[in-house]
Amino acid sequence: MTLDVSLKSHLQLRQLWSGSKLMYHGYWNKVTNKREGLGVSLNIETDEIYQGEWLDNVYNGKGRLLFGSGEIYTGAFAANMIEGKGVFRFTNGNSYDGEWKKGKREGKGTYTWLRSDTYKRYTGDFKNNQRSGKGSMEYKDGSIYTGDWRNGLRNGKGKLVSKNNETYEGEWSNDVREGKGVKKYMNGDYYEGDFRQDQKDGKGKYQWASGRVYVGDWESGMRSGEGVLYGRTQPAMRAASRTGKGLSLIHISEPTRPLYISYAVFCLKKKKKKK
């Protein structure tokens, strides 16, 4: 490190051992007898090396801190803590570039994963070292989520676009689709309605690209309960009976309609096992 010899006259260059744990080479305030200005320190106990600005014997201003573990932070410090904007590089190759508060990721920033099988890059809000607020996540499989986060998980409202252009836009809870949402499939089908634990569950409408429409109850991703199936003259009854295993069609009502449209009102219940 090259020290700036043009500093204010109240500073002087010294080298000091403080007790048995700190080695410092840099500028001191002659009046207060404290480290102030540019300096380099080595903590013998922790193997930490700091190079940068000092005030009142602590890190304060711009600097670079090399931790004994091999992690490196370059950026702003205040009162001996990481504070402001800076870049932190982890030993596993991950990095964070953004805002800090009292040594924690807080504010706007970008976290990049180098070797993760799941995550690629997150850009957005952080709180207490976690993704929290508004942000966008790029995943290794090519999908992108943009929306609300809380405690590091997708929580609130957001949109997920997969690499094959399928989309979900709606409500999330603890990283899964939960609440109201719209799912659009790559073949042109779409579902709009309730989700629970990442599956269609509750009341919803499913429309096939062919024009058929089902409006009614869902459970664990399958049609289950009461609903109405609208379609062309391909038999609505057959379409309705293709619901999940262990279900039976117990009621169908099909009033007269124009020839190009038919619909069925039905109710499904679980079959009783024979003893």
Side-chain angles (χ1 to χ4, degrees):
M1 175 182 180
T2 303
L3 298 176
D4 187 355
V5 295
S6 64
L7 294 173
K8 296 179 181 179
S9 60
H10 70 279
L11 300 180
Q12 66 180 9
L13 183 62
R14 285 190 190 175
Q15 179 170 320
L16 171 78
W17 282 89
S18 177
S20 59
K21 70 176 183 178
L22 182 68
M23 177 181 175
Y24 174 79
H25 178 73
Y27 284 93
W28 283 71
N29 187 311
K30 293 186 292 185
V31 177
T32 63
N33 199 31
K34 292 182 178 180
R35 294 182 290 276
E36 182 176 327
L38 292 176
V40 180
S41 69
L42 169 63
N43 189 309
I44 305 301
E45 291 184 346
T46 63
D47 287 333
E48 288 183 359
I49 299 174
Y50 174 77
Q51 176 181 357
E53 297 175 324
W54 295 74
L55 182 65
D56 290 334
N57 273 345
V58 297
Y59 312 152
N60 203 96
K62 294 181 179 179
R64 183 174 184 266
L65 181 61
L66 173 62
F67 294 85
S69 60
E71 296 171 327
I72 302 173
Y73 171 78
T74 304
F77 292 83
N80 225 36
M81 300 185 70
I82 295 175
E83 180 97 12
K85 292 184 178 180
V87 179
F88 195 102
R89 302 191 184 281
F90 299 86
T91 54
N92 60 5
N94 296 348
S95 65
Y96 171 77
D97 184 351
E99 298 175 332
W100 298 78
K101 187 174 183 180
K102 295 183 179 179
K104 295 183 178 181
R105 297 185 291 276
E106 187 104 8
K108 304 288 186 182
T110 297
Y111 192 106
T112 304
W113 288 261
L114 183 63
R115 298 183 179 89
S116 170
D117 294 331
T118 305
Y119 307 112
K120 183 178 179 181
R121 184 180 297 106
Y122 169 83
T123 300
D125 297 330
F126 286 83
K127 186 175 182 180
N128 197 29
N129 272 345
Q130 294 188 325
R131 300 182 293 275
S132 213
K134 302 285 187 181
S136 179
M137 173 72 82
E138 299 176 50
Y139 296 90
K140 283 292 178 71
D141 65 3
S143 58
I144 298 175
Y145 170 84
T146 303
D148 297 330
W149 297 79
R150 188 172 65 250
N151 298 327
L153 302 175
R154 292 170 292 192
N155 275 286
K157 293 183 179 180
K159 181 176 182 180
L160 178 67
V161 181
S162 66
K163 64 178 180 180
N164 59 14
N165 243 8
E166 288 189 350
T167 64
Y168 169 80
E169 186 168 6
E171 297 175 328
W172 297 76
S173 179
N174 294 325
D175 228 29
V176 297
R177 291 169 291 189
E178 186 92 14
K180 302 290 185 182
V182 177
K183 174 71 183 289
K184 296 182 180 180
Y185 299 85
M186 61 182 300
N187 63 0
D189 296 357
Y190 82 89
Y191 169 83
E192 180 176 1
D194 296 329
F195 285 82
R196 187 173 294 116
Q197 290 297 307
D198 244 358
Q199 298 193 55
K200 299 182 286 290
D201 199 299
K203 300 290 185 181
K205 170 185 175 182
Y206 192 101
Q207 180 165 326
W208 287 264
S210 64
R212 287 192 306 154
V213 178
Y214 167 77
V215 180
D217 296 334
W218 295 79
E219 184 178 352
S220 299
M222 307 183 74
R223 300 190 300 275
S224 179
E226 295 185 358
V228 181
L229 180 68
Y230 301 89
R232 296 183 180 277
T233 52
Q234 286 88 354
M237 181 186 298
R238 188 177 66 189
S241 66
R242 285 206 302 269
T243 53
K245 295 180 181 179
L247 298 176
S248 61
L249 193 62
I250 65 172
H251 176 71
I252 292 181
S253 173
E254 187 170 2
T256 303
R257 287 288 182 186
L259 292 178
Y260 58 87
I261 287 291
S262 63
Y263 75 90
V265 180
F266 56 90
C267 180
L268 298 163
K269 70 175 183 180
K270 291 184 178 179
K271 291 181 179 179
K272 294 183 179 179
K273 294 184 178 179
K274 294 182 180 179
K275 296 183 180 178

